[in-house]
């Protein structure tokens, strides 16, 4: 299986995040990608390719033009306001406030285009996010060109980013961008299966009214876990998308027995949908030792995950999402990919 990775993704190097109401050391750091890449090389999985440059057009198929302009111009606006270092939003257009005026000031723009305070932005954030998206797009092109599977080693991750907001360490929705590119390249139907510990709220929002992209997510119950305000079982799509959004929220403490039952239910739904290609938002944070997870998957369970996904019999693009137990991240990722190849 080919891996797509850009060293440009490492330029986004946050030092801090706001978590649990406190300023803490960042966990979505370049070492995550470096550890996965090292393990792939050690395991001899296959070629590691640099991504192609796809330009802005595939991003604009998924993301709002004003949002992309904000990301592109952020650092200039930030420094022109006399700021330096990492940026965090602190005010949002919540209930009772107007969301329609586009502020001129960078602080207002940060609030308009974000949904949490835990995702720092810096000088290289957009460049790194674009490199990450290009990795996903290159992986999509490999699969569209006949490869059984490909792995896009993406960071920053993407599944929390919606059409016009960032958060959850995500700025561009890599899986959604790849899925839309696959549709534009000729795939009639695409399924996205998100197995991250946290719900892929951004991906759900992007495709919520569409029937050509089936979105499924196995994740921690949002009544207990981030992102809290999306990911409930009754969210099944609207309009043409009714029935094409499927959430499997699970209680904290879920082990392989509970988790895999939801996985199998999702795979059955995918089989009925009969897509041309499968995109897997590969979150590795359901791992039992992940610092921000309360699921209990073991390292061997990730091998089982890969094997179950292989049974779908579909061309498959794996896109890296979360996973913060850095010592085990590479092992869990390679276990999934080798489990798929052997399945």
């Amino acid at each position: 299986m080919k891996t797509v990775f850009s060293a440009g993704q490492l330029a986004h190097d946050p030092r801090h995040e706001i978590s649990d109401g406190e300023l803490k050391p960042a966990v979505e750091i370049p070492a995550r990608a470096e550890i996965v890449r090292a393990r792939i090389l050690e395991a001899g999985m296959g070629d590691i390719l640099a991504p192609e440059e796809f330009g802005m057009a595939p991003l604009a198929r998924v993301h709002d033009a004003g949002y992309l302009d904000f990301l592109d111009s952020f650092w200039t606006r930030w420094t022109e306001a006399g700021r330096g270092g990492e940026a965090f939003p602190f005010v949002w257009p919540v209930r009772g406030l107007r969301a329609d005026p586009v502020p001129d000031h960078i602080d207002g723009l940060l609030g308009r285009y974000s949904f949490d305070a835990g995702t720092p932005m810096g000088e290289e954030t957009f460049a790194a996010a674009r490199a990450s998206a290009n990795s996903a797009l290159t992986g999509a092109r490999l699969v569209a060109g006949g490869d059984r599977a490909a792995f896009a080693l993406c960071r920053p991750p993407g599944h929390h980013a919606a059409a016009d907001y960032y958060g959850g360490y995500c700025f561009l929705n890599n899986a959604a961008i790849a899925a839309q590119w696959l549709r534009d390249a000729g795939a009639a139907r695409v399924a996205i299966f998100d197995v991250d510990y946290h719900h892929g709220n951004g991906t759900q929002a992007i495709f919520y009214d569409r029937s050509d992209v089936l979105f499924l997510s196995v994740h921690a119950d949002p009544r207990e876990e981030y992102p809290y305000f999306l990911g409930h079982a009754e969210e099944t799509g609207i309009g043409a998308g009714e029935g094409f959004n499927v959430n499997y929220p699970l209680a904290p403490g879920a082990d392989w027995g509970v988790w895999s039952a939801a996985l199998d239910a999702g795979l059955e739904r995918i089989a009925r949908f009969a897509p041309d290609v499968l995109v897997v938002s590969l979150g590795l944070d359901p791992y039992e030792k992940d610092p921000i997870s309360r699921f209990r998957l073991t390292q061997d369970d990730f091998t089982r995950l890969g094997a179950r996904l292989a049974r779908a019999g579909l061309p498959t693009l794996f896109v890296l999402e979360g996973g913060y137990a850095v010592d085990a991240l590479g092992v869990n990722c390679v276990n999934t990919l080798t489990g798929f190849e052997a399945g």
Side-chain angles (χ1 to χ4, degrees), residues 12-35:
H12 174 63
D13 189 10
R15 302 302 181 189
H16 300 94
E17 63 178 70
I18 297 174
S19 178
D20 301 328
E22 300 178 2
L23 190 65
K24 296 182 178 180
V27 299
E28 203 297 290
I29 54 178
R32 296 180 63 247
E34 294 174 304
I35 287 169

Side-chain angles (χ1 to χ4, degrees), residues 269-293:
R269 179 65 183 89
I270 289 170
R272 295 196 301 273
F273 182 62
D276 299 301
V277 63
L278 172 63
V279 177
V280 178
S281 274
L282 182 58
L284 300 166
D285 43 5
Y287 179 51
E288 61 184 350
K289 296 181 181 179
D290 194 279
I292 59 174
S293 169

Side-chain angles (χ1 to χ4, degrees), residues 199 204-205 208 214-216 235-237 241-247:
H199 178 250
Q204 171 172 309
Y208 202 59
L214 172 68
F215 175 70
L216 312 96
E235 297 159 11
T236 57
E242 177 62 45
F244 295 92
N245 191 92
V246 187
N247 288 320

Side-chain angles (χ1 to χ4, degrees), residues 4-246:
V4 187
F5 170 72
S6 168
Q9 300 174 29
L10 307 179
H12 174 63
D13 189 10
R15 302 302 181 189
H16 300 94
E17 63 178 70
I18 297 174
S19 178
D20 301 328
E22 300 178 2
L23 190 65
K24 296 182 178 180
V27 299
E28 203 297 290
I29 54 178
R32 296 180 63 247
E34 294 174 304
I35 287 169
V36 172
R37 180 178 180 274
R39 180 60 182 169
I40 287 171
L41 288 170
E42 181 182 347
M45 274 192 54
D47 294 337
I48 299 181
L49 311 176
E52 304 170 44
E53 172 57 59
F54 283 76
M56 294 292 290
L59 312 185
R61 293 285 289 138
V62 166
H63 291 287
D64 174 76
Y67 174 62
L68 292 174
D69 178 70
F70 159 74
L71 292 176
D72 189 32
S73 64
F74 156 73
W75 187 251
T76 298
R77 292 172 180 265
W78 184 245
T79 54
E80 285 179 349
R83 313 289 178 78
E86 297 177 331
F88 294 91
F90 66 91
V91 61
W92 293 270
V94 298
R95 295 175 298 277
L97 300 182
R98 290 181 60 190
D100 55 310
V102 179
D104 293 326
H105 197 277
I106 187 59
D107 287 328
L109 290 169
L110 282 165
R112 176 182 175 84
Y113 291 118
S114 67
F115 81 102
D116 69 22
T119 305
M121 293 186 66
E123 182 176 6
E124 302 297 334
T125 297
F126 188 45
R130 285 193 61 189
S132 188
N134 280 328
S135 294
L137 286 163
T138 303
R141 177 166 284 171
L142 289 170
V143 172
D147 283 23
R148 178 191 180 213
F151 172 49
L153 206 181
C154 294
R155 68 85 41 194
H159 71 148
H160 293 305
D164 61 354
Y165 63 74
Y166 72 92
Y169 316 139
C170 304
F171 304 93
L172 296 173
N173 194 311
N174 303 310
I177 290 167
Q180 183 61 55
W181 185 92
L182 287 162
R183 282 284 294 111
D184 294 339
R189 292 176 300 280
V190 178
I192 303 175
F193 204 171
D194 192 321
V195 298
D196 194 277
Y197 176 72
H198 304 95
H199 178 250
N201 59 285
T203 316
Q204 171 172 309
I206 288 167
F207 296 113
Y208 202 59
D209 61 352
R210 290 173 54 173
S211 61
D212 57 331
V213 178
L214 172 68
F215 175 70
L216 312 96
S217 179
V218 179
H219 54 272
D221 191 331
R223 290 179 176 82
E224 295 285 339
E225 285 285 4
Y226 183 96
Y228 300 109
F229 304 109
L230 217 60
H232 301 276
E234 65 269 21
E235 297 159 11
T236 57
I238 57 172
E242 177 62 45
F244 295 92
N245 191 92
V246 187

